Amino acid sequence: MKLNMKLKTSMISAVCAAVIVSCDDKMNYHEYTNYGKDYMELSYDNISGFITNIYTKLDYDFGQIYSGGMLASACDEAEYAYPSNPVCDFYNGAWSPANPKENTWTSSYAVIQLCNHYLDNFQDLTFPELKLNMDYDAKMNAYRNYSYEARFLRAYFYFNLVRQYGDVPLVEHVPATSEVNNLERTPAVEVFAFIERECDAIADIIIVDYTDLGGLALASAETGRANRAAVLALKARAALYAASPLFNPENSPELWLKAALANKAVLDICKEHGYVLGKYSDLWGEANWATGKGKEMIFMRRMYPDATNTLEGYNFPIGVEGGNSGNCPTQTLVDAYEMEATGKLWNEQGSGYDPANPYQGRDPRFELTIAKNGDARWPTYNTLELQTYYGGVNGEPVSGATPTGYYLKKYCDASVNLTASARNTKRHTWITYRLGEFYLNYAEAVFKYLGSADATSSEFTISAREAVNVIRSRTDVQMPELPVGLSSDDFWKKYTNERMVELAFEGHRFWDVRRWKEADKYFRSITQMKITKNADATFTYRRQVVDRQWDDKMYFFPIPQSERMKNQNLTQNTGW
């Protein structure tokens, strides 16, 4: 099939203008130029680079979209230190179809069209010029896998679209010129069904482990590519969203059953291939990208260039050389960390919480996630203890100082140095799928399907409560187990709290509260901690509630006005 080079629609132009890249053993990216189908077929490296380039489009949330702001600062996990930051538009009234925030619509469809272009035009190639090479079989093995990777990536970006906008146009092939600006929105249920079908179609044929292919081995460190576990993870996460109240207002038990089975399949394949819950502290840092046997990571967004310090520059405390402050964890999030000895929240009777020492004896994940007043060596080159109290080196009224009383640790590398004399960089990797999420997903789906935290069945031999307890018992956490006999309401409170703590700053909370349709409960305010230092060197801690704007139209993003001007068939989401 010859590519019609006269197609000039915006979608096709995006495909034809796409930069394609090649990869080495670290999935580094090198630029080539795409001159069309005939040029592409001349070189295996061009085909390989085309697929690898699509991986560079995977989303992550290190503040690259909102001038340092993460989605955590658009929900109740954090508050951005500078109220003029664009991430604040999510709750300050400036969000609109003309200011639709992320470019997810445009960027996702551009990538989907790359996938469609590949699947329509670059199948069944044989690369005869390579047949005498010793690595021909290995390269052909990789090439056959590329179509499965392309289908995974296309389904992945459709999930991002349906999660954000609800009904979206579903396009499975490169559209004709006459189709592009006449596409209509496909119901979300059909988009979810498409994702499920695609995952089912490729799950049993995509490569299982890129580091264990015998004589057909690819580069040993290609951990950034989708494997069977990643495909099952996409299916499972999509199934959980499809079953959630935002997309399942009738609370269909069939959808919860699908979600439970899909997430169980992830747990099963992870057990089969040696994925384990290790230390919580191993979830970030330079080596967190490792996947496979003895690791928790299923699929990661590897960041390139290899090393940066941008995340730290955005989030290291004001008052530390090179630090600009940024995404400051809220007291709302801090209050979600239970007391380590009792497993109770700070305000529950018998918790053991001491108002004069509010951080003593908390869930160990608190210390690993959040930098607080009095912390030493954060970051490592900081020789002073953090002073987040009013008048402190890192506290108000200094411009850019934390408004909440806290700074971010998670994902930041304490060994990054931002001083002029010793400035350095480190590798960062965004967690897309990890095993811990799927224990929680499974717990939610099984609880909703079976109707009790303790219920099991022949299909689901681990109860929802037991699945949550797996998370709570990880090596460096060791929180008290949730007890038998919790009421449904009590378990749901414990579950949602556990999810907030375990997945903090990993890009879940913003979406979880939406799919649960519980934004009225969580997103109308946040709590800050105001700290003052007393004359006797003790501290006074005062909670302060700050209101935020919420409207139910915000469960979905507005369709960008620019897209609706190009295509009159795109209806707008309700309320926008």
Side-chain angles (χ1 to χ4, degrees):
M1 179 191 302
K2 289 289 183 183
L3 177 66
N4 181 357
M5 298 305 291
K6 295 182 179 180
L7 295 180
K8 295 184 180 179
T9 69
S10 60
M11 288 185 178
I12 302 302
S13 297
V15 170
C16 294
V19 175
I20 63 172
V21 294
S22 180
C23 62
D24 64 11
D25 64 332
K26 295 180 181 178
M27 271 189 75
N28 285 328
Y29 307 118
H30 306 287
E31 294 186 0
Y32 290 80
T33 304
N34 175 8
Y35 292 104
K37 184 170 185 289
D38 293 338
Y39 176 81
M40 291 285 292
E41 290 181 352
L42 290 176
S43 169
Y44 167 86
D45 287 340
N46 290 341
I47 290 291
S48 175
F50 187 96
I51 292 297
T52 302
N53 178 61
I54 299 176
Y55 281 99
T56 70
K57 314 300 183 184
L58 288 166
D59 55 302
Y60 60 101
D61 187 20
F62 283 151
Q64 76 285 355
I65 297 176
Y66 300 115
S67 302
M70 302 168 72
L71 282 182
S73 291
C75 63
D76 57 353
E77 287 181 311
E79 179 177 5
Y80 205 75
Y82 303 93
S84 60
N85 185 276
V87 79
C88 302
D89 291 351
F90 281 105
Y91 56 80
N92 66 13
W95 196 9
S96 71
N99 178 28
K101 308 314 300 173
E102 296 179 4
N103 65 342
T104 299
W105 184 283
T106 303
S107 61
S108 294
Y109 276 113
V111 178
I112 287 166
Q113 288 308 98
L114 287 171
C115 295
N116 285 337
H117 181 52
Y118 181 86
L119 293 167
D120 283 358
N121 293 290
F122 300 122
Q123 302 295 296
D124 302 320
L125 304 181
T126 59
F127 308 106
E129 75 282 3
L130 300 179
K131 285 187 176 180
L132 297 180
N133 293 4
M134 293 183 64
D135 64 351
Y136 179 72
D137 287 341
K139 287 187 173 181
M140 289 304 297
N141 186 54
Y143 167 70
R144 285 187 290 271
N145 198 65
Y146 290 155
S147 63
Y148 314 139
E149 294 178 69
R151 292 175 73 175
F152 164 83
L153 290 162
R154 180 175 62 178
Y156 176 91
F157 282 96
Y158 268 122
F159 170 75
N160 285 357
L161 284 166
V162 72
R163 172 181 67 178
Q164 188 158 320
Y165 299 103
D167 302 348
V168 294
L170 180 61
V171 187
E172 298 182 47
H173 298 282
V174 175
T177 308
S178 58
E179 296 178 85
V180 173
N181 290 325
N182 293 288
L183 296 170
E184 297 182 353
R185 298 174 69 181
T186 303
V189 63
E190 295 180 26
V191 180
F192 280 119
F194 169 78
I195 295 169
E196 179 185 4
R197 288 195 306 272
E198 286 293 277
C199 291
D200 285 344
I202 63 176
D204 291 336
I205 48 179
I206 197 169
I207 287 175
V208 176
D209 184 352
Y210 289 87
T211 67
D212 186 20
L213 297 177
L216 300 181
L218 301 176
S220 62
E222 289 204 34
T223 54
R225 292 192 178 277
N227 60 11
R228 184 172 300 168
V231 172
L232 294 177
L234 169 59
K235 177 184 175 182
R237 186 187 286 180
L240 184 72
Y241 274 70
S244 297
L246 184 62
F247 296 101
N248 180 21
E250 298 83 13
N251 197 30
S252 165
E254 180 184 353
L255 292 179
W256 285 116
L257 173 60
K258 276 189 175 184
L261 290 170
N263 282 280
K264 180 179 182 296
V266 177
L267 301 185
D268 289 344
I269 195 172
C270 285
K271 182 177 181 180
E272 178 184 353
H273 292 283
Y275 296 82
V276 298
L277 293 180
K279 293 182 177 180
Y280 192 71
S281 56
D282 288 342
L283 294 178
W284 58 97
E286 280 200 296
N288 79 328
W289 54 268
T291 62
K293 294 180 177 65
K295 302 292 183 180
E296 181 173 348
M297 301 306 166
I298 297 172
F299 188 59
M300 313 286 285
R301 190 350 178 145
R302 304 281 297 278
M303 307 309 301
Y304 295 96
D306 282 353
T308 69
N309 56 25
T310 304
L311 181 67
E312 288 74 20
Y314 281 139
N315 292 289
F316 277 177
I318 282 290
V320 174
E321 184 177 349
N324 292 302
S325 187
N327 301 281
C328 300
T330 59
Q331 184 63 39
T332 308
L333 174 60
V334 172
D335 284 341
Y337 291 90
E338 301 167 343
M339 304 305 295
E340 185 175 14
T342 63
K344 294 184 177 182
L345 294 173
W346 70 281
N347 57 353
E348 292 182 296
Q349 186 174 2
S351 68
Y353 174 77
D354 180 0
N357 297 285
Y359 312 124
Q360 184 176 345
R362 303 298 281 266
D363 183 327
R365 289 172 290 188
F366 166 68
E367 290 282 352
L368 295 169
T369 305
I370 297 170
K372 66 184 186 305
N373 185 56
D375 277 357
R377 312 298 295 187
W378 183 258
T380 304
Y381 66 91
N382 182 24
T383 59
L384 299 176
E385 291 185 351
L386 285 184
Q387 301 175 7
T388 66
Y389 55 85
Y390 190 87
V393 172
N394 317 106
E396 297 175 314
V398 175
S399 177
T402 171
T404 66
Y406 307 99
Y407 289 101
L408 178 63
K409 279 187 180 178
K410 191 169 181 178
Y411 271 127
C412 295
D413 193 322
S415 66
V416 166
N417 192 314
L418 299 178
T419 63
S421 60
R423 195 173 184 88
N424 67 354
T425 58
K426 293 295 179 71
R427 174 177 290 172
H428 297 75
T429 302
W430 177 257
I431 301 168
T432 305
Y433 304 128
R434 65 176 174 92
L435 179 57
E437 174 197 341
F438 295 93
Y439 274 106
L440 292 170
N441 292 357
Y442 170 87
E444 181 177 341
V446 166
F447 169 68
K448 292 290 188 179
Y449 177 62
L450 296 180
S452 165
D454 299 314
T456 59
S457 68
S458 58
E459 289 176 304
F460 308 113
T461 57
I462 299 175
S463 70
R465 178 186 58 82
E466 290 169 328
V468 173
N469 284 338
V470 171
I471 295 292
R472 293 170 68 85
S473 63
R474 67 160 70 238
T475 306
D476 56 348
V477 175
Q478 297 295 306
M479 288 295 291
E481 292 189 350
L482 300 186
V484 174
L486 289 172
S487 69
S488 291
D489 286 346
D490 286 343
F491 175 76
W492 184 248
K493 290 175 185 176
K494 287 288 189 182
Y495 170 78
T496 55
N497 193 80
E498 186 69 23
R499 193 172 178 97
M500 186 180 193
V501 166
E502 174 71 16
L503 302 176
F505 292 94
E506 294 182 38
H508 289 273
R509 180 72 176 177
F510 180 91
W511 303 109
D512 280 342
V513 171
R514 282 172 162 78
R515 66 181 179 83
W516 295 330
K517 295 202 73 175
E518 293 189 346
D520 275 348
K521 180 178 179 181
Y522 294 114
F523 286 175
R524 288 195 178 276
S525 67
I526 59 165
T527 304
Q528 305 168 332
M529 178 61 82
K530 299 301 181 182
I531 308 172
T532 54
K533 188 173 184 179
N534 304 317
D536 61 357
T538 61
F539 296 96
T540 298
Y541 301 90
R542 178 178 60 86
R543 286 175 171 78
Q544 177 171 295
V545 175
V546 177
D547 291 335
R548 285 183 170 180
Q549 294 187 31
W550 172 264
D551 187 296
D552 284 353
K553 68 183 181 182
M554 298 177 186
Y555 279 117
F556 290 118
F557 280 45
I559 306 299
Q561 187 64 29
S562 59
E563 295 298 323
R564 297 191 67 228
M565 290 176 67
K566 291 184 289 187
N567 181 357
Q568 300 299 312
N569 289 335
L570 292 178
T571 56
Q572 184 57 271
N573 276 327
T574 302
W576 293 105

